[in-house]
Amino acid sequence: MTFFRSYFDCQKVDPSEAVKVLRHAAEELGVVFQQGHSVKELIRDPKTRLVTGIISQVGGKEKLLSADFVVSAAGTGVAAACLGGVPMLDRPGQIAYAKSDSTDKKLSKILVDPQRSSHLLQRKDGTLVAGGGVL
């Protein structure tokens, strides 16, 4: 946990790097990530009603995946009936990346334009990331 504390103590965190760190730590604890599956049905314990697995479809075949815990990282896909039909506002944004030629001058803050719902930041490797609803 010391690594996590020192990694996240900095002023700004690169989300892609944070995800890598957290995913690696989860895998070391035995978490298995399943990607590319379309969830068709949640499997529930008949007594507790807790989710104990899923029936998924991958490559045209249905597959039963049992688990102690199920985490849905479906984003706006959580609106699907089999995941509970959570009402979601789906407003896709845009992201653009650019490499900076300058190695000595970097943005020290995240620039935000609330009027256009846009932002600009620079990662540790110098990559500029612009995102939001209107670029």
Side-chain angles (χ1 to χ4, degrees), residues 24-125:
H24 177 73
E27 288 171 335
E28 284 185 344
L29 293 170
V31 172
V32 177
F33 290 86
Q34 298 284 335
Q35 294 175 268
H37 291 253
S38 295
V39 177
K40 296 298 177 189
E41 184 180 341
L42 299 178
I43 305 300
R44 294 182 182 274
D45 180 291
K47 291 180 183 174
T48 64
R49 300 295 298 150
L50 294 174
V51 176
T52 59
I54 64 167
I55 295 178
S56 71
Q57 188 168 4
V58 61
K61 296 182 181 179
E62 284 192 355
K63 185 176 181 181
L64 171 64
L65 297 170
S66 297
D68 295 328
F69 298 95
V70 175
V71 176
S72 172
T76 58
V78 77
C82 65
L83 295 177
V86 176
M88 293 291 296
L89 178 61
D90 187 3
R91 293 190 337 200
Q94 300 171 2
I95 296 181
Y97 300 90
K99 271 291 197 189
S100 171
D101 290 338
S102 175
T103 56
D104 58 337
K105 294 183 180 179
K106 292 193 177 179
L107 292 175
S108 61
K109 304 282 185 202
I110 296 175
L111 304 177
V112 177
D113 180 350
Q115 205 167 27
R116 292 190 175 89
S117 300
S118 300
H119 63 275
L120 176 68
L121 61 94
Q122 190 167 22
R123 293 184 174 162
K124 286 182 183 180
D125 68 358

